[in-house]
């Protein structure tokens, strides 16, 4: 076990260095304060300049010390966020919250890396590992500081009567990003196949690229059930038993999470320099998933949004190049069904014989009681998520993230240390998660590279569960070198928005996934970029906040020419609408209601009763296709059935709008429905809810299919469930012109001026400056911290 670094708290002094009156937030000439803190760990003093936007600019004399500073400021601004997520990932909730959490701890530990942790660390280049160690040391330094001065402890700790947990660099390779992936999709498809209705899967999840679903040889689809998901069904965290809360680490709805990014070459840019824009889409209901920081030292100068708790910057720019990212799609998980020995359930059939599960016994400490022993099982394919001796059956989740060398914790450091496209390609070898990487440099070059690890299967396509008898096992992994890329494309721009961007001639045997998203956001981005020969920063900002809806535009083409009297008011309102899901649009509110009503009716018509629990939603492309080309799925007279459903949806939506928005349609506004509400993830606990007020009061435009992707949350309501938690528009080379937003602000502490300072700008699409040069930073300085080696 590697020894943790320990830090001694030094004296703290607060000096007011300017007598000027504090300026309003997001204005210049602020009150500048200085604070000095002694810590043990860095090799030399570290200066942290906080600007008026809440961005810490870390100035160090060595690269590892810069990452020390990042760890320190992330813990300063987001300690409870990173601590709770880290404790959950380590499986150490029960030791502070009690026995209700033991099953969640067992689940977390099941997906820990079970190989040699020291060997994993030896895989990491020494300079990158030194930065990771320093980042962890920076977190621990802040923890030491707040533990020595309880007044600095965030309020959650006092309410919950717990303390933050120290970190270890080995945790970065122990905990992985292994998740359920598409396991539930695999189960649904098998169950549909058992009903003879596998074709119905295209209603809920059309395959992109197009593909024919086939049941794997040897799979008994009739035996597949939701129970095969086992521990993946564990559900919410029981902080309040009557009102369990969502996992704070699971901030994205899988059906909507994505991103937009585009890169424009100098030849098509109004600046004569490249422009790179990026807005990652994640859930926004709780803690912000991005924290902005600027790290500088000799040989390093990088700014942008990082993931709290992971070292490095995910989206931003160095002094040489800008970079962004969107989700690519690689199916990195498979569900294996194992046959258990009829007399010994600890053995399973594999390669013509019987293998014994590897068993790992863990001891979970429990607050107020004895530690609980649990037994975790592993097959050759991965962790056993369901073990059912009575049925002689077990299921295993195979995951790329649990393979040797698949820790992504060091990838951002490697990317941040790169100098150009060539050195970046070495960094990509450390990046397992599927990503479209965007690049633009000061020499005017632009590039796109898909990065991530893909499993090599003996056979099969990963779309249904497979027998775990060895025929469908993995034989290795492919990395980014086997995935698409483009450098300085002739058209002068490229974009990604989670669409199928595999080249047309891509080998059929190397398709990495079939889960690419609807192309609506990408198509709109491409339409705009292709039409602009001189794209500007303002154009990128406008495009990030574009609310034109392709589904709405296509829907309007099918409004009835002779609606019923009850449907006519809705038709009249929609017929003159511009198909923009704008905040101040009453027609947009009406459309969203019609769209939901129509989808419900279409789904009821085309899904047989025996499959209704499996096919619970209809893909927008399927709905639009049925609207344009009604077929036998709608009955013997499909066109008449389509017309009747559309009329009924219009009538029902009009009545609903009157009930929700008032009798006078002139007063309707989409923003009245589409509210942006952010609450503490543990707000189910009354004391937390009282101490951490919700951030709310504003409504927004956009939905899941507009470029400004602010989708509806789950459930029957209309509030915003997710969107671009961080936005950037980078003027490559003229860095101080760059713009950004982080929702709702940099801090999760209500007393901080940066708790919600970007909430209203985010709703309104008002981008904020991203100062980078020393002069620009000093002009916006609000506070200064000096970390002195003790």
């Amino acid at each position: 076990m590697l020894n943790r670094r320990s830090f001694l708290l030094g004296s703290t002094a607060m000096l007011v260095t300017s007598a000027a009156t504090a300026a309003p937030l997001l204005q210049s000439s602020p009150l500048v304060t200085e604070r000095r803190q002694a810590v043990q760990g860095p090799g030399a003093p570290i200066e942290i300049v906080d600007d008026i936007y809440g961005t810490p600019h870390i100035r160090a004399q060595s690269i590892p010390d810069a990452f020390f500073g990042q760890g320190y400021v992330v813990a300063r601004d987001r300690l409870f966020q990173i601590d709770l997520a880290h404790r959950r990932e380590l499986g150490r909730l029960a030791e502070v919250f009690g026995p209700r959490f033991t099953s969640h701890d067992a689940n977390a530990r099941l997906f820990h890396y079970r190989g040699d942790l020291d060997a994993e660390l030896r895989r990491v280049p020494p300079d990158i590992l030194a930065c990771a160690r320093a980042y962890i040391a920076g977190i621990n330094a802040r923890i030491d500081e707040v533990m020595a001065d309880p007044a600095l402890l965030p309020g959650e700790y006092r309410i919950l009567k717990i303390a933050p947990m120290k970190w270890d660099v080995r945790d970065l390779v122990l905990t992985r990003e292994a998740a359920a992936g598409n396991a539930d999709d695999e189960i649904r498809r098998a169950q549909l196949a058992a009903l003879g209705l596998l074709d119905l899967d295209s209603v809920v999840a059309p395959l992109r690229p197009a593909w024919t679903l086939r049941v794997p040889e040897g799979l008994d689809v009739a035996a597949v059930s939701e129970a095969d998901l086992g521990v993946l069904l564990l559900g919410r965290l029981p902080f309040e038993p009557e009102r369990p809360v969502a996992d704070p680490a699971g901030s994205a709805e899988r059906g909507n999470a994505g991103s937009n990014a585009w890169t424009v070459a100098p030849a098509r840019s109004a600046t004569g320099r490249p422009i790179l824009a990026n807005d990652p889409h994640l859930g926004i209901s709780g803690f912000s998933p991005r924290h902005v920081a600027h790290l500088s030292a000799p040989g390093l100068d990088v700014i942008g949004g990082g993931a709290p708790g992971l070292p490095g910057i995910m989206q931003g720019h160095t002094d040489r190049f800008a970079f962004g990212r969107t989700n690519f799609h690689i199916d990195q998980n498979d569900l294996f069904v194992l046959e258990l020995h009829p007399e010994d359930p600890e053995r399973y059939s594999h390669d013509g014989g019987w293998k014994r599960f590897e068993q790992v016994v863990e001891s979970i400490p429990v607050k107020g009681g004895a530690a609980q022993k649990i037994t975790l099982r592993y097959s050759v394919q991965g962790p056993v998520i369901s073990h059912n001796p009575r049925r002689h059956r077990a299921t295993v989740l195979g995951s790329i993230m649990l393979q040797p060398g698949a820790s992504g914790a060091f990838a951002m450091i490697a990317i941040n240390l790169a100098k150009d496209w060539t050195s970046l390609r070495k960094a990509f070898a450390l990046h397992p998660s599927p990503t479209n990487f965007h690049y633009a440099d000061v020499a005017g070059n632009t590039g796109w590279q898909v990065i991530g690890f893909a499993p090599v299967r003996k056979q099969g396509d990963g779309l249904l569960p497979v027998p775990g008898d060895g025929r469908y096992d993995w034989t290795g992994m492919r990395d980014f070198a086997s995935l698409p890329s483009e450098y300085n494309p002739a058209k002068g721009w490229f974009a990604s928005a989670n669409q199928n961007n595999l080249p047309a001639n891509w080998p059929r045997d190397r398709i990495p996934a079939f889960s690419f998203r609807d192309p609506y956001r990408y198509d709109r981005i491409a339409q705009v970029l292709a039409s602009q020969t001189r794209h500007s920063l303002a154009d990128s900002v406008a495009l990030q906040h574009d609310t034109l809806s392709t589904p709405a535009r296509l829907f309007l083409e099918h409004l009835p020419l002779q609606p019923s009297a009850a449907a006519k008011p809705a038709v009249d309102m929609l017929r003159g609408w511009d198909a923009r899901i704008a905040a101040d649009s009453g027609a947009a509110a009406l459309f969203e209601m019609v769209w939901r009503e129509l989808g419900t009716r279409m789904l009821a018509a085309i899904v047989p009763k025996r499959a209704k629990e499996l096919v619970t939603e209809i893909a927008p492309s399927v709905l639009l296709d049925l609207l344009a080309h009604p077929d036998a799925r709608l009955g013997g007279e499909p066109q008449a059935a389509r017309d009747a459903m559309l009329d009924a949806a219009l009538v029902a939506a009009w009545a609903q709008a009157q009930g929700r928005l008032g009798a006078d349609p002139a007063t309707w506004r989409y923003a009245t429905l589409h509210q942006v509400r952010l609450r503490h993830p543990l707000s189910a606990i009354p004391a937390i809810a009282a101490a951490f007020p919700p951030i709310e009061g504003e409504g927004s435009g956009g939905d899941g299919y507009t470029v400004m992707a602010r989708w509806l949350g789950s459930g029957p309501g209309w509030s915003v469930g997710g969107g671009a938690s961080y936005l950037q528009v980078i003027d490559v080379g003229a860095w101080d012109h760059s713009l950004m937003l982080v929702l709702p602000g940099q801090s999760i502490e209500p007393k901080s001026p940066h708790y919600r300072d970007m909430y209203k700008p985010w709703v309104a699409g008002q981008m904020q400056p991203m100062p980078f040069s020393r002069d620009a930073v000093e002009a916006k300085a609000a506070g200064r911290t000096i970390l002195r080696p003790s």
Side-chain angles (χ1 to χ4, degrees), residues 41-53:
I46 300 170
E47 181 184 34
I48 302 168
V49 178
D50 290 287
D51 68 26
I52 61 174
Y53 313 104

Side-chain angles (χ1 to χ4, degrees), residues 427-756:
F428 294 158
L430 295 173
H431 196 295
S433 59
T435 300
N436 291 290
F437 189 86
H438 285 240
Y439 169 90
D441 66 29
V442 293
N445 299 303
T446 62
W448 161 68
Q449 172 71 60
V450 175
I451 53 181
F453 296 172
V456 179
R457 300 176 172 92
K458 285 184 179 178
Q459 60 175 323
D461 52 25
L463 292 170
L464 278 84
V466 292
D469 56 13
R471 288 176 293 163
Y472 295 87
D473 287 1
W474 297 353
T475 60
M477 296 187 300
R478 297 189 182 99
D479 67 8
F480 76 96
S482 67
L483 295 168
S485 67
E486 196 169 23
Y487 193 67
N488 289 330
K491 66 182 179 182
W493 63 270
F494 52 89
S496 61
N498 319 116
Q499 83 286 6
N500 174 17
N501 54 359
L502 292 171
N505 59 350
W506 193 251
R508 299 288 285 176
D509 63 342
R510 280 175 41 208
I511 295 175
F514 301 90
S515 54
F516 291 93
R517 298 286 183 255
D518 291 289
Y520 304 127
R521 283 185 287 115
Y522 172 78
D523 289 346
R524 174 59 177 163
I525 293 167
Q527 176 192 35
V528 171
L529 293 180
S531 68
Q532 294 173 336
T533 58
R534 289 293 180 264
H535 182 84
S536 67
L537 296 178
D539 290 330
S540 269
V541 173
L543 185 52
Q544 285 181 333
H545 297 90
D546 187 276
T547 59
L548 183 67
S549 167
T550 297
R553 182 178 56 79
L554 295 174
F555 168 83
L556 293 176
E557 296 175 2
H558 302 288
L559 286 174
L561 296 176
Q562 295 181 321
S564 68
K568 189 175 186 304
V571 171
D572 289 345
M573 187 175 201
L574 291 171
R575 198 177 298 283
W577 178 46
D578 61 3
R580 292 185 178 274
I581 313 296
D584 62 353
S585 170
L590 177 62
F591 163 75
E592 295 289 353
M593 293 178 177
V594 175
W595 182 259
R596 183 179 287 182
E597 291 284 345
L598 183 60
T600 299
R601 286 166 168 76
M602 288 283 193
L603 197 65
I606 65 177
V607 178
K609 183 177 180 180
R610 64 185 190 276
K612 288 190 182 299
E613 291 187 1
L614 299 175
V615 183
T616 57
E617 56 185 302
I618 184 169
S621 57
V622 176
L623 192 157
L624 288 168
D625 186 58
L626 282 169
L627 196 58
H629 309 288
D631 57 34
R633 289 177 291 177
L634 299 181
E637 298 184 17
Q639 185 167 330
R642 185 270 319 266
D643 292 345
M645 278 188 280
L646 178 55
D647 195 273
L650 289 161
V651 172
W654 186 262
Q656 186 181 20
Q658 286 185 311
R660 293 292 298 266
L661 299 173
D664 183 3
T667 66
W668 295 356
R669 298 291 182 270
Y670 179 53
T672 305
L673 297 174
H674 204 44
Q675 289 287 300
V676 184
R677 299 186 179 100
L678 292 83
R679 292 182 170 86
H680 195 289
L682 304 190
S683 60
I685 301 172
I688 294 284
F692 294 85
I695 300 171
E696 58 187 354
E698 299 291 332
S700 175
D703 66 11
Y705 307 108
T706 57
V707 178
M708 189 177 78
R710 298 180 180 179
W711 62 84
L712 277 63
S714 58
W718 302 95
S719 62
V720 179
S725 53
Y726 168 75
L727 302 92
Q728 65 178 27
V729 175
I730 308 298
D731 187 345
V732 178
W735 306 117
D736 287 333
H737 297 166
S738 301
L739 303 166
M740 68 90 179
L741 275 173
V742 59
L743 178 74
Q746 285 278 82
S747 175
I748 61 171
E749 171 54 57
K751 295 178 182 178
S752 168
H754 306 296
Y755 179 63
R756 57 171 296 157

Side-chain angles (χ1 to χ4, degrees), residues 91-116:
R92 294 181 57 182
L93 291 169
E95 69 178 299
V96 293
F97 296 119
R100 292 197 304 267
F101 290 83
T102 53
S103 57
H104 293 272
D105 285 349
N107 195 13
R109 294 174 187 224
L110 180 65
F111 294 100
H112 285 175
Y113 180 70
R114 292 295 168 183
D116 185 334

Side-chain angles (χ1 to χ4, degrees), residues 71-112:
Y72 179 89
V73 296
V74 166
R76 180 197 67 183
D77 295 341
R78 306 284 186 90
L79 180 57
F80 185 75
Q81 175 183 4
I82 64 173
D83 183 41
L84 180 62
H86 193 52
R87 186 176 286 280
R88 181 199 60 80
E89 291 164 358
L90 286 174
R92 294 181 57 182
L93 291 169
E95 69 178 299
V96 293
F97 296 119
R100 292 197 304 267
F101 290 83
T102 53
S103 57
H104 293 272
D105 285 349
N107 195 13
R109 294 174 187 224
L110 180 65
F111 294 100
H112 285 175

Side-chain angles (χ1 to χ4, degrees), residues 128 133-134 151 174 317 386 393 399 422 438 612 706 712 782:
I128 293 171
R133 291 184 187 278
L174 177 67
H317 69 79
S386 174
R393 182 182 184 86
S399 173
T422 301
H438 285 240
K612 288 190 182 299
T706 57
L712 277 63

Side-chain angles (χ1 to χ4, degrees), residues 139-174:
I139 291 175
N140 287 337
R142 178 60 180 180
I143 291 174
D144 284 339
E145 186 180 337
V146 301
M147 290 302 294
D149 183 358
L152 297 175
L153 263 177
E156 294 99 335
Y157 294 100
R158 292 188 290 274
I159 292 169
L160 300 172
K161 297 180 173 59
I162 63 173
M165 181 176 59
K166 297 292 281 291
W167 291 43
D168 191 296
V169 73
R170 290 160 61 94
D171 299 342
L172 297 181
V173 293
L174 177 67

